Amino acid sequence: MDATESETACFEAGIKFGTLYHQFAGTPVSPESAASLETAMADAIENQPHCVDVTVDVLEDAIADALAEQSADYLELTGRFMEVEMVVEYEGTRVETSMSMAGDYPMMRVDSVE
Amino acid sequence: MDATESETACFEAGIKFGTLYHQFAGTPVSPESAASLETAMADAIENQPHCVDVTVDVLEDAIADALAEQSADYLELTGRFMEVEMVVEYEGTRVETSMSMAGDYPMMRVDSVE
Amino acid sequence: MDATESETACFEAGIKFGTLYHQFAGTPVSPESAASLETAMADAIENQPHCVDVTVDVLEDAIADALAEQSADYLELTGRFMEVEMVVEYEGTRVETSMSMAGDYPMMRVDSVE
Amino acid sequence: MDATESETACFEAGIKFGTLYHQFAGTPVSPESAASLETAMADAIENQPHCVDVTVDVLEDAIADALAEQSADYLELTGRFMEVEMVVEYEGTRVETSMSMAGDYPMMRVDSVE
């Protein structure tokens, strides 16, 4: 069957999450550069179609904790070091999604479909 | 409302597409390296949860045509130079998706939800 | 032979350029999001060892011109849409490098070694 | 001063290393997909100017060990899971370079300049 409007909206939301994660994973990051990376990530993804609002929290404290256990003074961004909320609107459907750690896995979720 | 099973399946499919595109966009590619890149892209994305089958066609002819008009003998992979089909299964739902050019835009689509 | 100090300094400078380009190539960008991307790119690369100063100019005008000829209202960042200057210091050697278009190719250059 | 031929050769070698690392870091990988990723990475980077030979070893055993300690059955490629050798020739200079772990840091090195 063809996708419904709400299924397409969820597909679009998934695209944005995969984009955000794999465009920016690996970026050198430190507590000092976390803020500018948050802003750039949100602004970049908001360019994409149907993407209404993106909030990225790069977790300075988690980064600082990880740096205390390694030799270099920066690390590469992974899902462990960010939390994301994203709103996609497609036709009449609004999809709210988020990413945060579920145990050791950065889990992307659909929080609501309206 | 919470997402239905089929909406979640479409969200998962979208994640895989965003991942594939933004992990590999920018990769140096030529007609000679197209085949190994196709295989690696498909194998990489098939690692992700719920991803049953991925087929990537890196378009050697389109690459060769573009190279004829530029000075370098390789280019950076973009959506213009690949076509992708992907099948995601989540619980009891099977989602078939694809990407190909719609005019000048690499369009990702849900082809069917069963 | 082993690398000299100045050869190692140039190697380090090259690493930073490859990193900057291939981390951020493909990022969705528009004239409105150019400024935050510039800042994040510079801050990210300055985290890397021996990297003293990075200046990124994402070319809003070139982006606006390209957008006028395509259907989508954003594009993916490539070398055509940015100019970069970078200073690396390794031991006693200072290397100044830059990237800008040479015809149709984004050329990375060592401008001076002191 | 202008860069010497050997300094430029080392700069070019650095570019290739930064490219390889940041293009492919974050790629979903498992022991089963390691081989195709190795081939694609080497083929991709060999497209770049002056790059004569690239050998990538994606470390299946290290990946398997890491997977035994986490919930997902794939991980994202980082420097911990690959070793690379690369030869760049620029004009009359041959530069041999490599990347492997130095403690907890993926160290890129110039091994020889001839």
Side-chain angles (χ1 to χ4, degrees), chain B residues 29 31 59-76 78 80-81, chain C residues 104:
Chain B
V29 67
L59 304 172
E60 284 93 337
D61 288 353
I63 293 172
D65 290 350
L67 292 182
E69 296 179 11
Q70 68 165 55
S71 60
D73 54 4
Y74 72 99
L75 48 77
E76 294 167 26
T78 68
R80 196 181 144 195
F81 301 111
Chain C
D104 63 359

Short mmCIF file of all heavy atoms in Angstrom, two decimals, chain B residues 29 31 59-76 78 80-81, chain C residues 104:
data_model
loop_
_atom_site.label_atom_id
_atom_site.label_comp_id
_atom_site.label_asym_id
_atom_site.label_seq_id
_atom_site.Cartn_x
_atom_site.Cartn_y
_atom_site.Cartn_z
N VAL B 29 35.06 9.52 -5.54
CA VAL B 29 34.59 8.38 -6.33
C VAL B 29 34.91 8.60 -7.80
O VAL B 29 34.95 9.73 -8.29
CB VAL B 29 33.07 8.15 -6.11
CG1 VAL B 29 32.24 9.28 -6.68
CG2 VAL B 29 32.62 6.81 -6.66
N PRO B 31 34.62 6.13 -11.79
CA PRO B 31 33.98 4.92 -12.33
C PRO B 31 34.67 3.65 -11.80
O PRO B 31 33.99 2.64 -11.53
CB PRO B 31 34.14 5.08 -13.84
CG PRO B 31 34.16 6.56 -14.06
CD PRO B 31 34.91 7.11 -12.86
N LEU B 59 26.32 5.38 -9.97
CA LEU B 59 26.06 5.50 -11.42
C LEU B 59 27.33 5.83 -12.19
O LEU B 59 27.65 7.01 -12.43
CB LEU B 59 24.98 6.56 -11.62
CG LEU B 59 23.67 6.29 -10.86
CD1 LEU B 59 22.72 7.49 -10.96
CD2 LEU B 59 22.99 5.02 -11.34
N GLU B 60 28.03 4.80 -12.61
CA GLU B 60 29.31 4.98 -13.32
C GLU B 60 29.16 5.91 -14.52
O GLU B 60 30.02 6.75 -14.77
CB GLU B 60 29.89 3.64 -13.81
CG GLU B 60 30.52 2.79 -12.73
CD GLU B 60 29.52 1.81 -12.13
OE1 GLU B 60 28.30 2.06 -12.20
OE2 GLU B 60 29.99 0.80 -11.56
N ASP B 61 28.09 5.73 -15.28
CA ASP B 61 27.95 6.55 -16.49
C ASP B 61 27.75 8.03 -16.14
O ASP B 61 28.34 8.91 -16.78
CB ASP B 61 26.76 6.06 -17.33
CG ASP B 61 27.08 4.73 -18.00
OD1 ASP B 61 28.24 4.27 -17.92
OD2 ASP B 61 26.15 4.13 -18.59
N ALA B 62 26.95 8.28 -15.14
CA ALA B 62 26.74 9.68 -14.73
C ALA B 62 28.05 10.27 -14.21
O ALA B 62 28.35 11.45 -14.44
CB ALA B 62 25.65 9.76 -13.66
N ILE B 63 28.83 9.46 -13.51
CA ILE B 63 30.13 9.94 -13.02
C ILE B 63 31.05 10.24 -14.21
O ILE B 63 31.70 11.28 -14.26
CB ILE B 63 30.76 8.90 -12.06
CG1 ILE B 63 29.92 8.80 -10.79
CG2 ILE B 63 32.20 9.26 -11.74
CD1 ILE B 63 30.34 7.67 -9.86
N ALA B 64 31.10 9.32 -15.15
CA ALA B 64 31.97 9.53 -16.32
C ALA B 64 31.56 10.79 -17.07
O ALA B 64 32.41 11.58 -17.51
CB ALA B 64 31.93 8.31 -17.24
N ASP B 65 30.26 11.01 -17.23
CA ASP B 65 29.80 12.21 -17.92
C ASP B 65 30.22 13.47 -17.16
O ASP B 65 30.65 14.46 -17.77
CB ASP B 65 28.26 12.20 -18.04
CG ASP B 65 27.79 11.14 -19.04
OD1 ASP B 65 28.64 10.56 -19.76
OD2 ASP B 65 26.57 10.88 -19.08
N ALA B 66 30.09 13.45 -15.85
CA ALA B 66 30.46 14.63 -15.06
C ALA B 66 31.97 14.86 -15.12
O ALA B 66 32.43 16.01 -15.19
CB ALA B 66 30.00 14.46 -13.61
N LEU B 67 32.74 13.79 -15.10
CA LEU B 67 34.20 13.93 -15.15
C LEU B 67 34.65 14.55 -16.47
O LEU B 67 35.67 15.26 -16.51
CB LEU B 67 34.89 12.58 -14.95
CG LEU B 67 34.74 11.97 -13.55
CD1 LEU B 67 35.51 10.65 -13.48
CD2 LEU B 67 35.23 12.93 -12.48
N ALA B 68 33.92 14.30 -17.53
CA ALA B 68 34.30 14.85 -18.84
C ALA B 68 34.22 16.37 -18.85
O ALA B 68 34.80 17.02 -19.72
CB ALA B 68 33.41 14.25 -19.92
N GLU B 69 33.52 16.94 -17.89
CA GLU B 69 33.32 18.39 -17.86
C GLU B 69 34.11 19.08 -16.77
O GLU B 69 33.87 20.26 -16.48
CB GLU B 69 31.83 18.71 -17.68
CG GLU B 69 31.00 18.23 -18.84
CD GLU B 69 29.52 18.53 -18.64
OE1 GLU B 69 29.20 19.30 -17.71
OE2 GLU B 69 28.70 17.99 -19.40
N GLN B 70 35.02 18.37 -16.10
CA GLN B 70 35.78 18.99 -15.02
C GLN B 70 37.26 18.62 -15.11
O GLN B 70 37.63 17.73 -15.88
CB GLN B 70 35.20 18.57 -13.66
CG GLN B 70 35.41 17.10 -13.34
CD GLN B 70 35.18 16.77 -11.87
OE1 GLN B 70 34.13 17.07 -11.33
NE2 GLN B 70 36.16 16.17 -11.23
N SER B 71 38.09 19.30 -14.32
CA SER B 71 39.53 19.10 -14.43
C SER B 71 40.03 17.88 -13.65
O SER B 71 40.94 17.19 -14.10
CB SER B 71 40.26 20.37 -13.95
OG SER B 71 39.94 20.64 -12.61
N ALA B 72 39.47 17.61 -12.49
CA ALA B 72 39.94 16.49 -11.69
C ALA B 72 39.40 15.18 -12.26
O ALA B 72 38.39 15.17 -12.96
CB ALA B 72 39.51 16.65 -10.23
N ASP B 73 40.06 14.07 -11.94
CA ASP B 73 39.62 12.78 -12.48
C ASP B 73 38.87 11.94 -11.44
O ASP B 73 38.81 10.73 -11.54
CB ASP B 73 40.78 12.01 -13.09
CG ASP B 73 41.93 11.86 -12.13
OD1 ASP B 73 41.80 12.28 -10.96
OD2 ASP B 73 42.97 11.31 -12.54
N TYR B 74 38.34 12.61 -10.44
CA TYR B 74 37.40 11.97 -9.51
C TYR B 74 36.43 13.06 -9.08
O TYR B 74 36.66 14.24 -9.33
CB TYR B 74 38.14 11.38 -8.30
CG TYR B 74 38.66 12.42 -7.34
CD1 TYR B 74 37.97 12.73 -6.17
CD2 TYR B 74 39.83 13.12 -7.60
CE1 TYR B 74 38.42 13.71 -5.30
CE2 TYR B 74 40.29 14.09 -6.74
CZ TYR B 74 39.59 14.38 -5.60
OH TYR B 74 40.04 15.35 -4.74
N LEU B 75 35.36 12.67 -8.42
CA LEU B 75 34.45 13.67 -7.87
C LEU B 75 33.97 13.20 -6.51
O LEU B 75 34.34 12.12 -6.05
CB LEU B 75 33.30 13.96 -8.83
CG LEU B 75 32.53 12.80 -9.45
CD1 LEU B 75 31.57 12.21 -8.44
CD2 LEU B 75 31.76 13.28 -10.67
N GLU B 76 33.18 14.03 -5.87
CA GLU B 76 32.64 13.69 -4.55
C GLU B 76 31.23 13.16 -4.72
O GLU B 76 30.41 13.77 -5.38
CB GLU B 76 32.63 14.93 -3.66
CG GLU B 76 34.03 15.41 -3.35
CD GLU B 76 34.05 16.80 -2.75
OE1 GLU B 76 33.05 17.20 -2.12
OE2 GLU B 76 35.07 17.49 -2.91
N THR B 78 27.51 12.49 -4.53
CA THR B 78 26.28 13.15 -4.09
C THR B 78 25.11 12.32 -4.61
O THR B 78 25.31 11.34 -5.34
CB THR B 78 26.15 14.58 -4.63
OG1 THR B 78 25.95 14.50 -6.05
CG2 THR B 78 27.38 15.41 -4.33
N ARG B 80 23.18 12.77 -6.89
CA ARG B 80 23.09 12.75 -8.36
C ARG B 80 23.74 11.51 -8.94
O ARG B 80 23.49 11.15 -10.10
CB ARG B 80 23.85 14.01 -8.82
CG ARG B 80 23.62 14.44 -10.22
CD ARG B 80 24.49 15.70 -10.48
NE ARG B 80 24.99 15.67 -11.84
CZ ARG B 80 25.98 16.42 -12.31
NH1 ARG B 80 26.59 17.28 -11.49
NH2 ARG B 80 26.37 16.32 -13.55
N PHE B 81 24.60 10.88 -8.17
CA PHE B 81 25.41 9.79 -8.70
C PHE B 81 25.08 8.44 -8.07
O PHE B 81 25.89 7.51 -8.13
CB PHE B 81 26.91 10.11 -8.50
CG PHE B 81 27.31 11.38 -9.19
CD1 PHE B 81 27.67 12.51 -8.46
CD2 PHE B 81 27.31 11.46 -10.57
CE1 PHE B 81 28.01 13.69 -9.09
CE2 PHE B 81 27.66 12.64 -11.22
CZ PHE B 81 28.01 13.76 -10.48
N ASP C 104 37.73 24.84 -11.19
CA ASP C 104 36.60 24.08 -10.63
C ASP C 104 37.02 23.16 -9.49
O ASP C 104 36.25 22.30 -9.07
CB ASP C 104 35.90 23.27 -11.74
CG ASP C 104 36.83 22.23 -12.36
OD1 ASP C 104 38.01 22.15 -11.95
OD2 ASP C 104 36.38 21.50 -13.25
#
